[in-house]
Amino acid sequence: MTLEEEMYQMALAAKKASSELAVSSTEVRNAALEAMAAALIERAPEIIAANAEDMEAARAKGTKESLLDRLFLDEGRIADMASALRDLVALPDPLGQVLEDRTMYNGMNLRRVRVPMGVVAVVYEARPNVTADAAGICLKSGNAVILRGGSLAAHSTGAIWHALSEAVTTVGLPADCIMGVDTTDRAATDMLMQLHGLVDVLVPRGGAGLIQHCVECSKVPVIETGTGNCHVYVHESADLQMAHSIVMNAKCRRYGVCNAEESLLVDASIAGEFLPMILPSLAEKGVEIHADALVSLQAMKCGVSVTLATEADWATEYLGPEIAVRVVNGATEAIEHINTYGTKHSEAIVATDEAAISAFQRRVDAACVYVNTPTSFTDGGQFGLGAEIGISTQKLHVRGPFALEGLTSYKYLLTGNGQTRA
């Protein structure tokens, strides 16, 4: 069987399984989630051993530390994956939810109800935890899933999805409702993206290159996710101690996540006071600073080594211990900078001036806009949605963190008593 035939047969099997999953009861799907969580804990030694193979190979390739952190699994992280699956059990079932119920002009009853998408393909890079998150969200929302992880995490993702697929059969669901692509051949991803009519939606999770490739090449509808060139803007009215705490958390909490701060904007009127506070703190954490001319001057005064920023730095998602820092002349310039270079993910302002806050909230074009708190919350279940499948940076269908409802559509159910149309 050729790779193309293999991918077609996989999608065909997932389509068949999705029909059964779509009409399964809430109780059955919740039982499957419990079984999946138990399987992860039971098979943790096997998963950790597979992950060790991936980690060894990744280090040999010189993979940077921020990506190694995303790849790494231990008992604690596997327990977190299992906990996220169990959290889904407690969430309301979106399927069958009545969105609209009314009587039409001719006496017919019209109801609009939530239904699954069908088959969801999730393409992602070296983040094995996505395997469990995606499988759980898809199953809870009644969708079959085809998982296509990156080659760096091939052993880890394979061990996880095989465990999950076997677990769902213990409650009577077909194993094919959770499927994974075993081959590391990149052609498999492109073939998957061409299966319009079998695969209903594609969710890419990874770097800008992967997402752009999917958007440009897929015949399957894509939910664009993830790339995060996120900013923190410190307005002249800010509490500077608060600003210091927010900037450090947004940048240094975890470098390799899409909601990490990649650029810092500081009002010119407070640059002489705030930059000597924040630049040494960033340097002490080992963060490389890409600075404009005014920031470079302040850095020189406080003995901090910086690199002169280029135009490319303002548009870069570093995903590592690097940050671009620029001085701006007020909220208007800060907002223009963000809307020019940002990726419509997450943006933050630190301020007490209500006019500046209001302008920032209204004019910044992003899925999540924060006031006096870091961008760190746009990920990891902080919005109470349960395990999230991604952060959508587009405007159609879903935007921002999305989970169960983001993987549903709806249909109209119409009931009459003999009406006919003239």
Side-chain angles (χ1 to χ4, degrees):
M1 183 183 294
T2 66
L3 182 58
E4 187 173 7
E5 291 170 336
E6 183 181 342
M7 298 307 298
Y8 178 82
Q9 291 300 323
M10 179 181 292
L12 197 62
K15 191 63 149 179
K16 182 178 179 181
S18 73
S19 297
E20 186 171 340
L21 189 58
V23 295
S24 63
S25 67
T26 305
E27 291 73 23
V28 167
R29 279 178 278 123
N30 284 344
L33 290 166
E34 293 283 5
M36 290 159 65
L40 288 179
I41 300 300
E42 181 181 341
R43 295 170 69 164
E46 174 187 332
I47 294 168
I48 290 170
N51 182 251
E53 291 186 63
D54 290 331
M55 291 293 292
E56 182 180 357
R59 288 193 181 99
K61 291 179 180 179
T63 305
K64 58 184 183 179
E65 285 299 321
S66 58
L67 293 182
L68 289 175
D69 177 58
R70 286 186 169 196
L71 176 60
F72 176 67
L73 291 177
D74 58 13
E75 288 187 356
R77 289 191 175 184
I78 292 172
D80 288 342
M81 290 159 55
S83 178
L85 290 172
R86 292 193 173 104
D87 287 344
L88 284 168
V89 173
L91 294 177
D93 185 354
L95 300 188
Q97 179 184 351
V98 179
L99 304 174
E100 186 177 2
D101 188 346
R102 60 186 172 86
T103 301
M104 295 172 59
Y105 71 95
N106 57 5
M108 290 172 56
N109 175 254
L110 177 151
R111 286 187 300 144
R112 184 163 56 95
V113 299
R114 286 198 187 278
V115 296
M117 291 283 193
V119 176
V120 178
V122 185
V123 180
Y124 52 104
E125 294 177 340
R127 296 187 66 173
N129 64 297
V130 173
T131 309
D133 287 351
I137 294 166
C138 288
L139 186 133
K140 175 80 177 191
S141 56
N143 296 288
V145 63
I146 300 175
L147 300 156
R148 174 54 162 135
S151 58
L152 271 182
H155 295 94
S156 307
T157 55
I160 293 168
W161 80 255
H162 279 293
L164 300 179
S165 180
E166 292 170 19
V168 300
T169 64
T170 64
V171 299
L173 290 175
D176 291 343
C177 66
I178 299 175
M179 306 186 78
V181 179
D182 281 326
T183 179
T184 57
D185 189 336
R186 292 186 178 182
T189 303
D190 288 340
M191 292 172 186
L192 193 62
M193 292 191 294
Q194 305 310 304
L195 297 175
H196 184 268
L198 289 178
V199 178
D200 294 285
V201 66
L202 176 73
V203 182
R205 288 192 58 173
L210 170 67
I211 294 168
Q212 193 61 32
H213 179 71
C214 291
V215 170
E216 292 177 354
C217 300
S218 180
K219 292 182 180 178
V220 174
V222 176
I223 298 177
E224 190 172 349
T225 67
T227 306
N229 183 20
C230 305
H231 301 72
V232 174
Y233 164 48
V234 182
H235 184 259
E236 64 181 2
S237 69
D239 178 317
L240 297 190
Q241 289 297 330
M242 177 191 291
H244 182 280
S245 174
I246 287 171
V247 169
M248 294 302 294
N249 184 263
K251 178 69 247 181
C252 300
R253 175 184 165 271
R254 287 185 69 185
Y255 296 122
V257 292
C258 62
N259 58 359
E261 173 194 8
E262 305 290 22
S263 293
L264 168 63
L265 306 177
V266 180
D267 266 346
S269 59
I270 57 166
E273 185 178 358
F274 184 66
L275 289 175
M277 292 172 58
I278 196 65
L279 295 179
S281 296
L282 290 167
E284 286 171 12
K285 289 288 188 180
V287 176
E288 181 181 350
I289 299 166
H290 302 267
D292 73 359
L294 291 174
V295 176
S296 298
L297 181 62
Q298 288 294 334
M300 187 183 304
K301 290 179 180 178
C302 56
V304 173
S305 176
V306 300
T307 302
L308 191 63
T310 66
E311 181 73 12
D313 284 305
W314 309 129
T316 298
E317 182 188 28
Y318 296 110
L319 295 175
E322 298 181 66
I323 191 170
V325 185
R326 179 183 177 186
V327 170
V328 294
N329 292 304
T332 297
E333 187 174 331
I335 292 166
E336 288 175 355
H337 178 99
I338 290 169
N339 287 343
T340 299
Y341 298 103
T343 52
K344 299 178 172 55
H345 191 294
S346 300
E347 308 294 355
I349 182 174
V350 188
T352 57
D353 183 274
E354 290 299 331
I357 291 170
S358 176
F360 194 86
Q361 288 180 314
R362 288 184 294 107
R363 293 179 54 202
V364 165
D365 186 8
C368 300
V369 180
Y370 292 90
V371 176
N372 292 331
T373 191
T375 55
S376 312
F377 293 94
T378 316
D379 200 2
Q382 296 298 302
F383 285 20
L385 304 175
E388 297 160 1
I389 198 164
I391 314 298
S392 171
T393 54
Q394 65 184 32
K395 297 179 181 178
L396 291 178
H397 180 58
V398 288
R399 195 178 196 194
F402 69 101
L404 296 177
E405 290 186 1
L407 291 182
T408 63
S409 182
Y410 56 82
K411 65 182 177 183
Y412 290 97
L413 303 178
L414 298 114
T415 303
N417 56 3
Q419 291 93 332
T420 59
R421 183 173 176 179

